[in-house]
Amino acid sequence: LNGLVEEGKLFPGVFHFNAGPYLNNVKATSIDIIFEADRPADFVIKYGKQLPLDKKIELQLAKIEREVKSPGGNIYKVTLKDLDPASAYFYNVIASSRDGHTMESGVLTFSTAIKERDSYTFGVIGDTEARPHINDRISKLLWDERPNLVLLVGDLTDGGVKDHKFEWNYEYFQGITQLASRVPVFPVPGNGEDDLYWYNQY
């Protein structure tokens, strides 16, 4: 089990997301969806403004391995483009592993960036390090306010250096994903990110 912790894998033998999905780099007509699986997989990202979801992007593992050199392992980023500004969307990340397992994120939501000069709401948090139970509570309280974005002012982890990946998967993402999968979080590194290895990967 120590090996699983060091690798940031949450469940032994179960196909699962180690991180995310979460939102990043939201703009008026695009948004990034990022996620990490515990093993290589094919992905389909379905999305749309209503259910059932009518658009999709496919990530085939063979193509990923040719075109994406990710030193972070099984971390993937998809950019949804040509979206409508200031609009709500649904999305679902569906994964299929090489050994025949499937999983999905379930239907989640996001909104594209508002139009210039429109009013908006944002949250500011910091020092999420090593406190998944507190991050869980803060995420729920922030989601109640339906912010357009969240600023995270440093120390996402307590020292999530290259050989401490578990601090990201077991601590940071465990508490924050329920919020970050619906609201883009814009972080800056603190001394807790130290070597910036996993900060840059995620």
Side-chain angles (χ1 to χ4, degrees):
L1 289 178
N2 284 342
L4 292 173
V5 172
E6 291 169 1
E7 295 171 19
K9 295 184 178 182
L10 305 176
F11 306 106
V14 177
F15 185 35
H16 64 280
F17 290 106
N18 286 343
Y22 61 95
L23 306 171
N24 194 261
N25 197 28
V26 63
K27 298 180 180 178
T29 59
S30 66
I31 196 167
D32 292 345
I33 301 173
I34 305 168
F35 44 89
E36 179 186 26
D38 74 308
R39 66 194 76 176
D42 294 325
F43 296 91
V44 176
I45 297 84
K46 293 185 177 181
Y47 65 103
K49 296 179 79 171
Q50 59 188 11
L51 298 174
L53 303 174
D54 58 352
K55 296 178 176 62
K56 70 178 179 179
I57 293 177
E58 296 186 32
L59 288 180
Q60 297 297 322
L61 185 58
K63 185 176 182 183
I64 292 169
E65 290 176 339
R66 283 198 310 270
E67 298 181 2
V68 180
K69 305 299 182 188
S70 173
N74 302 310
I75 301 171
Y76 307 96
K77 179 181 81 172
V78 175
T79 302
L80 305 185
K81 301 177 181 178
D82 301 318
L83 304 175
D84 294 332
S87 297
Y89 283 84
F90 299 96
Y91 75 99
N92 189 10
V93 180
I94 303 164
S96 302
S97 68
R98 281 177 164 170
D99 52 6
H101 294 91
T102 60
M103 66 172 174
E104 57 184 275
S105 65
V107 177
L108 297 164
T109 57
F110 68 83
S111 293
T112 49
I114 61 164
K115 297 176 182 177
E116 190 173 351
R117 295 191 177 91
D118 283 356
S119 61
Y120 61 94
T121 302
F122 66 96
V124 181
I125 59 176
D127 292 286
T128 51
E129 51 191 337
R131 300 173 182 91
H133 57 295
I134 295 175
N135 296 336
D136 173 78
R137 180 67 176 146
I138 289 172
S139 293
K140 288 178 169 64
L141 291 170
L142 273 170
W143 177 241
D144 284 345
E145 303 300 324
R146 298 299 193 270
N148 295 90
L149 61 103
V150 172
L151 305 177
L152 207 169
V153 296
D155 288 353
L156 287 71
T157 69
D158 194 33
V161 294
K162 186 174 181 179
D163 61 348
H164 281 198
K165 189 175 187 297
F166 66 90
E167 294 194 22
W168 292 92
N169 305 114
Y170 279 79
E171 297 172 5
Y172 175 71
F173 284 113
Q174 279 295 291
I176 207 79
T177 295
Q178 60 182 309
L179 178 66
S181 62
R182 296 173 172 88
V183 178
V185 174
F186 291 86
V188 294
N191 64 310
E193 282 61 72
D194 201 2
D195 64 1
L196 298 181
Y197 182 84
W198 290 110
Y199 178 88
N200 289 331
Q201 298 305 317
Y202 286 122

